[in-house]
Amino acid sequence: MGSGRGGCGPDPAHLWAPHSTLAGHHPWHLDHHGDLAQVLPRPGPGLDLPLSPVLPNGHCIWASGPYALHQCRAAAAHPQGPFYRYRTYHDWLHQGPAVPSLEPLLLRARPAPFFGLLFLLSSWLFPLEAVREDAFYSRSVAFRLFYMVPVFFAFRMRFYVAWIAAECDCIAAGFGAYPVGAKSRAGGGPTQPCPAPDSPEAAAATKYDYETIRNIDCHGTDFCVRVRDGMRYWNMTVQWWLAQYIYKSAPARSYVLRSAWTMLLSAYWHGIHPGYYLSFLTIPLCLAAEGCLESGLRNRLNPKAQQAWDWAHWFLKMRAYDYMCMGFVLLSLQDTLRYWASIYFCIHLLALAGLGLGLALGGGGPGRRGGGARAEAKTPPNKPPTPPDKLREE
């Protein structure tokens, strides 16, 4: 989810990735041993760096002068994120002239005012502090159950605005711009070599994107079907880092157990509040339940019934995130358990019931995943499948 330190996302200064993160680099190539731009010296006024359109790894980038809008770039590392690799910072330092930044910035920023208004309205109508008051627990169970929905809604709107602003900081500085042909992914950067244009005309016709620094997919977060996919669309650059350096090195083979290990370290990353651990460690249970139900039940349904199943799955996914968000924002053990107990730990019980039903129907256990269901249930109803080059590592 987000950050518990008052910001809106893990502080980039804490994202110390292993040195293997530095693709094509060694620790001794850095002025300080770290992966982030914050640990490197800032260029001063009048400092010129070579402008080379061809980078050592075969990638190319043409962007507005390296220090145009430098003050905007200085803000691009604020605690809202996004995370980026040293490779991205290095490429930015060696940019050539002129990729578009104004149009992509305006396009990325367009929904932020609307999200901001929704945040102000929802947080005013449904303040979080009400959940800590005794009077709240004298209301009906239906009201208490409903209340987590607008709380999570306000939470999402707040982070959408913060992360969009952070992305716009980067875009304003031309940071993270790569040719579309490089097929960049959030956090990881380019996945395909991209030779430099062989003429000024070709350079002018080259299309660019800022997928490397994209940290939130608002539509995907709200409308993806599964709990698993919801994690991918949220805090995307940090999720890439967690997948590469925590999930893949987890001391387990099972997908669910690896996810539990990743969630445990992610909770520690956010802080020491018990609410973080209660929320993050509920995710593996939900993952196990949806995996078993997909392979044990969904695969047996006809296409029309599968579509109905996906709508129901989407609804339950959103309620699961509503439920887990309450631990994330209430923070304390007492407040979180008091709220969850007031709605009878419904998501935990529902997930356990789904896990039991899936296993009874022959669904894969926590160490297995249903192959056919995975591909079919990946996208929400009426949403086109994600292109293969946009899929991140499992």
Side-chain angles (χ1 to χ4, degrees), residues 354-375:
L355 178 61
L357 176 61
L359 290 173
L361 293 174
R368 296 160 52 199
R369 288 175 287 172
R374 180 178 60 192

Side-chain angles (χ1 to χ4, degrees), residues 100-112:
S101 59
L102 179 59
E103 185 177 352
L105 186 152
L106 294 176
L107 186 63
R108 192 73 61 93
R110 186 169 56 185

